[in-house]
Amino acid sequence: MAIDRESFKTGMRRLAAGVCVITSVAEGGRRCGLTATAVCAVSADPPTLLVCVNSATGSYAAMSAAKHFAVNLLSVEDKAVANRFASAIAPEERFSQGSWSTLVTGWPVLDSAVAVFDCVVCQVVEVGTHGVLFGGIEALRFRQPHVKPLLYAHGVYGRFVAVDGAQNGSRDHVPPWISPDSRFLEDGLRWGFMWM
Ligand SMILES: Cc1cc2nc3c(=O)[nH]c(=O)nc-3n(C[C@H](O)[C@H](O)[C@H](O)COP(=O)(O)O)c2cc1C
């Protein structure tokens, strides 16, 4: 059965995803970047992630040529950054939203992001309109767990809430706002999604 483009997109909008901004530096030192939800962990050994970027974007050309990119996992406070990096604003001007610095590679990372990953491109696979870039993680930084990630589903931005309520966290990697109690966590934590 042939699946049409719109049905595919309607189905994929049901997939709630963390919102990221992928950045790179083009020839001549010009910064560029785009908002992306197609980001996925691949392997912890060696630490590797992947991003899917439309090969028609300026950022894709820069990432492929420079062989580096940075992934910024946005927080709920970064919605304006997400909008800006998904707009038609000129690449360098997008960086006037938010506070930007660098880690190891010198690629732009957002100070307010939940976590940032500095990556070297280790493989590229082209599929249809998109390039899948595998990034070996050279460096990473993350903020305190109380900072909430920005989500996207059904075409709108949102935030996590624990389906079974939120009490104080009891484990280092579980933020207080999502941890019911350690006994429940052994059974598996269920998640909710709330519109912003
Ligand atoms: C929530 C959201 C998620 C997106 N995810 C992706 C993605 O994973 N990959 C992609 O190539 N574009 C994605 N886009 C679209 C790009 O952000 C958008 O086309 C951007 O303007 C491209 O930058 P350009 O001006 O350099 O072409 C997404 C947009 C939004 C709003």
Side-chain angles (χ1 to χ4, degrees):
M1 188 178 99
I3 304 297
D4 67 276
R5 190 182 141 84
E6 281 315 306
S7 301
F8 169 77
K9 287 168 72 174
T10 301
M12 291 308 295
R13 277 191 207 105
R14 268 68 170 169
L15 177 62
V19 182
C20 304
V21 164
I22 305 168
T23 58
S24 193
V25 179
E27 221 176 310
R30 184 180 54 82
R31 295 180 295 179
C32 57
L34 79 162
T35 299
T37 48
V39 174
C40 183
V42 176
S43 160
D45 189 17
T48 309
L49 55 73
L50 68 77
V51 300
C52 304
V53 180
N54 191 318
S55 38
T57 62
S59 301
Y60 180 74
M63 289 159 75
S64 314
K67 301 282 182 216
H68 285 95
F69 61 88
V71 176
N72 300 271
L73 275 57
L74 302 191
S75 76
V76 285
E77 287 87 36
D78 297 323
K79 199 174 82 169
V81 176
N83 283 332
R84 200 166 183 89
F85 280 80
S87 72
I89 296 171
E92 182 61 45
E93 280 176 42
R94 295 177 191 181
F95 291 88
S96 60
Q97 185 78 48
S99 166
W100 296 87
S101 55
T102 56
L103 280 184
V104 171
T105 63
W107 269 213
V109 292
L110 181 66
D111 296 334
S112 56
V114 171
V116 296
F117 299 89
D118 229 348
C119 301
V120 60
V121 178
C122 51
Q123 201 176 332
V124 181
V125 180
E126 297 200 347
V127 182
T129 52
H130 280 56
V132 184
L133 296 106
F134 292 81
I137 300 165
E138 302 270 290
L140 66 85
R141 183 179 75 198
F142 38 81
R143 291 179 67 197
Q144 294 299 313
H146 67 268
V147 184
K148 300 179 184 180
L150 180 65
L151 280 189
Y152 191 76
H154 287 274
V156 295
Y157 293 109
R159 69 176 80 210
F160 276 123
V161 288
V163 168
D164 294 281
Q167 293 157 28
N168 287 335
S170 56
R171 292 184 181 185
D172 286 350
H173 66 286
V174 181
W177 50 273
I178 57 170
S179 172
D181 63 47
S182 55
R183 180 177 43 79
F184 183 76
L185 288 168
E186 300 297 346
D187 299 331
L189 183 65
R190 285 182 286 143
W191 296 89
F193 185 72
M194 194 168 81
W195 307 135
M196 285 180 75

